[in-house]
Amino acid sequence: MDCDGYPCVPMPLMCTAFVPGQIDAAVAGISDPDSRTIATAEALYFRGQAALAAKTARPYLDATDPALRYSACFICGYASLSLNRIADARRCLAGILDTPADEESPAVHATHILFASAASVLLHLPSPYSAEEFYPLAAHLPEGLRLFASYVMAHALYLRGEYGRSLGMVENALIMKQGSYPISELFLHLAASMACMSLKDIDAAKAHFGAAWNIARPDGLIELIGEHHGLLQGLIEACLKTQYPDDFARIIEITYRFSYGWRRIHNPDSGEDVADDLTTTEFAMAMLACRGWTNAEIAPIWEYRRAPSKTAYPAYTQSLASAHAPSWSRICCVSDRAAKRIERVPEPGASLDQFGHFDP
């Protein structure tokens, strides 16, 4: 498949249908050598090997084929966050935002809108495009990228506090898809988990996270799980920490590394100050508390026995120590200073201007 006259499609591995556990065969089966190299970089990135992914994709940052160029910029841009190469990350993301020439094909314009929006939304920054600008062009993209576009739009809805619409968009994309696209489906199930947690439907959140893990585990695709840690609001700890301790440790390492670089772009560009002095578990707990979850609602996520207090947990300072949960006090006694700096996602009805417009 080509991109309206160009020999390659963007993110060829994302656009390839394969069975989970067969990612290496999927990469090897891509006939075009440049596309195969980009697919190799994708596989490295999604497996948490940021340095090798960036090294593999870097030669294509100035490629004349826009599919190769957008792919390289996206891979190198986000890999550079984990590598703490912030100047490189900014250059790559700026390359995505450069507007294509008017004479470029509809497929190239669709690719540009998708990746420019993704580059912004995933950093929780305003998108430069609206969904209305993308819809007429979406059909020019392969199915794997259309599924990824559904994730980006669902993520934007999530940031706007429209959790029900976000979940609906994800579930519709998963129902209507024709092939098996593990990379895009992994994105979608993580977005569904985020929305379900915000809707306080823990069972559905765990079901979607379980589906994501079933896709990720056979090929070791742990990067996206680590990147979504805070948004998953404790699901990683609840679902993986005990049963998959080695995988859990690697995921949390990715979380610390990626989130450090992420904040170095998000914080100055958004004017916000996302907390950086919490452990990953404390951050997840604080995210739940920001949404107004009570002790009784929070405790079952980690399957801890709820502490005696029945009051809500309003300022992250209440001690909930229990003989059955020795770490509970440490988890919940987050400093007031850090609590005030934790990023808050607006509830429905709050001002939405800061989150841009790439949503339905």
Side-chain angles (χ1 to χ4, degrees):
M1 181 184 296
D2 65 15
C3 190
D4 279 18
Y6 291 101
C8 305
V9 295
M11 302 294 281
L13 181 59
M14 188 183 289
C15 294
T16 298
F18 64 93
V19 176
Q22 299 296 317
I23 192 171
D24 294 323
V27 171
I30 295 174
S31 58
D32 177 76
D34 293 320
S35 293
R36 189 165 57 249
T37 300
I38 289 293
T40 299
E42 289 178 78
L44 289 167
Y45 178 78
F46 293 125
R47 282 170 159 164
Q49 300 179 58
L52 285 174
K55 180 180 179 181
T56 303
R58 187 172 293 118
Y60 295 94
L61 290 174
D62 298 315
T64 56
D65 187 319
L68 298 174
R69 186 173 65 253
Y70 280 117
S71 301
C73 286
F74 195 74
I75 295 166
C76 289
Y78 277 88
S80 294
L81 296 179
S82 291
L83 298 171
N84 196 26
R85 299 172 183 168
I86 304 307
D88 288 348
R90 286 191 179 279
R91 280 192 293 270
C92 292
L93 297 176
I96 293 173
L97 295 171
D98 287 343
T99 305
D102 291 339
E103 63 269 18
E104 292 285 13
S105 70
V108 173
H109 278 278
T111 299
H112 168 73
I113 291 175
L114 171 56
F115 283 98
S117 298
S120 302
V121 169
L122 301 191
L123 283 164
H124 296 187
L125 300 173
S127 169
Y129 295 99
S130 68
E132 287 70 25
E133 293 173 276
F134 176 71
Y135 286 155
L137 301 169
H140 293 276
L141 296 177
E143 184 175 14
L145 283 187
R146 294 198 302 272
L147 292 171
F148 178 60
S150 294
Y151 160 82
V152 174
M153 290 187 283
H155 199 133
L157 286 168
Y158 171 89
L159 293 175
R160 292 167 65 91
E162 299 184 49
Y163 308 125
R165 291 184 67 200
S166 177
L167 179 60
M169 174 160 283
V170 168
E171 293 188 333
N172 184 65
L174 289 169
I175 290 170
M176 300 296 287
K177 70 182 181 66
Q178 294 181 304
S180 171
Y181 295 90
I183 303 298
S184 297
E185 291 175 42
L186 178 53
F187 273 108
L188 286 166
H189 281 295
L190 292 175
S193 298
M194 291 157 44
C196 288
M197 285 299 293
S198 294
L199 293 168
K200 297 186 178 181
D201 189 344
I202 297 174
D203 290 341
K206 287 185 175 181
H208 275 291
F209 184 81
W213 183 238
N214 288 339
I215 292 170
R217 189 175 180 232
D219 290 307
L221 306 178
I222 60 174
E223 176 71 29
L224 295 181
I225 296 175
E227 291 180 10
H228 286 74
H229 175 275
L231 301 171
L232 291 169
Q233 303 172 64
L235 282 176
I236 297 176
E237 285 81 357
C239 298
L240 302 184
K241 188 172 185 177
T242 300
Q243 191 172 358
Y244 303 99
D246 293 339
D247 293 316
F248 175 79
R250 292 178 61 217
I251 289 167
I252 294 304
E253 180 183 353
I254 287 171
T255 298
Y256 279 119
R257 188 173 64 238
F258 178 83
S259 62
Y260 181 78
W262 186 93
R263 287 191 302 268
R264 291 189 64 191
I265 290 184
H266 168 85
N267 286 7
D269 287 17
S270 67
E272 297 174 349
D273 189 14
V274 177
D276 60 2
D277 53 359
L278 308 179
T279 69
T280 53
T281 301
E282 288 169 346
F283 191 98
M285 294 293 297
M287 285 287 287
L288 292 170
C290 283
R291 308 287 175 80
W293 288 55
T294 65
N295 298 345
E297 292 170 323
I298 292 174
I301 298 174
W302 281 275
E303 299 181 353
Y304 288 144
R305 190 176 74 179
R306 183 173 62 85
S309 172
K310 297 181 180 180
T311 60
Y313 157 29
Y316 322 96
T317 56
Q318 183 179 5
S319 177
L320 302 177
S322 163
H324 294 274
S327 63
W328 195 249
S329 177
R330 168 62 180 157
I331 291 171
C332 296
C333 293
V334 180
S335 70
D336 286 327
R337 176 176 61 84
K340 291 174 182 176
R341 293 172 51 230
I342 196 79
E343 181 181 29
R344 294 174 182 265
V345 176
E347 295 300 325
S351 174
L352 307 177
D353 294 342
Q354 61 181 309
F355 293 116
H357 308 287
F358 193 63
D359 57 72

